[in-house]
Amino acid sequence: MRVANAAKILAGTRDNPQGWRIEDVKTVAKKYGISYRQQGTSHVTFRHPGGVLVTIPARRPIKPPYIRKFVALIDSIQERT
């Protein structure tokens, strides 16, 4: 994973939160130190070490409200640093 790709994906989600794939969200999560798990379920749970959770359905397309919640998680991480 390249940091430039994660930054580009995050910028794209801010501009247009529609049509994103779960692989894109996982790439951004790795860059910001967010762990995730998907144990045989249709959802992926993202957890930041600070305890914040965001659960996103893995099916495509991911609906905009889920992407907005994930971007809000990233924003809260950036505010802390």
Side-chain angles (χ1 to χ4, degrees), residues 1 8 12 17-18 20 34 37-38 40 42 44 46 48 56-59 65-66 69 71-73 77 79 81:
M1 175 204 67
K8 184 177 179 181
Q18 295 185 5
W20 288 95
I34 300 170
R37 67 185 165 138
Q38 180 181 9
S42 61
V44 180
F46 295 88
H48 187 262
I56 299 176
R59 67 183 176 274
Y66 295 105
K69 285 182 184 180
V71 171
L73 171 61
I77 292 168
E79 288 174 1
T81 57

Side-chain angles (χ1 to χ4, degrees), residues 17-58:
Q18 295 185 5
W20 288 95
R21 300 176 308 138
I22 199 67
E23 291 82 16
D24 297 330
V25 179
K26 288 178 180 179
T27 298
V28 174
K30 287 178 189 176
K31 181 196 183 308
Y32 288 96
I34 300 170
S35 62
Y36 57 88
R37 67 185 165 138
Q38 180 181 9
Q39 298 176 341
T41 66
S42 61
H43 289 68
V44 180
T45 301
F46 295 88
R47 179 189 299 263
H48 187 262
V52 181
L53 288 175
V54 174
T55 301
I56 299 176

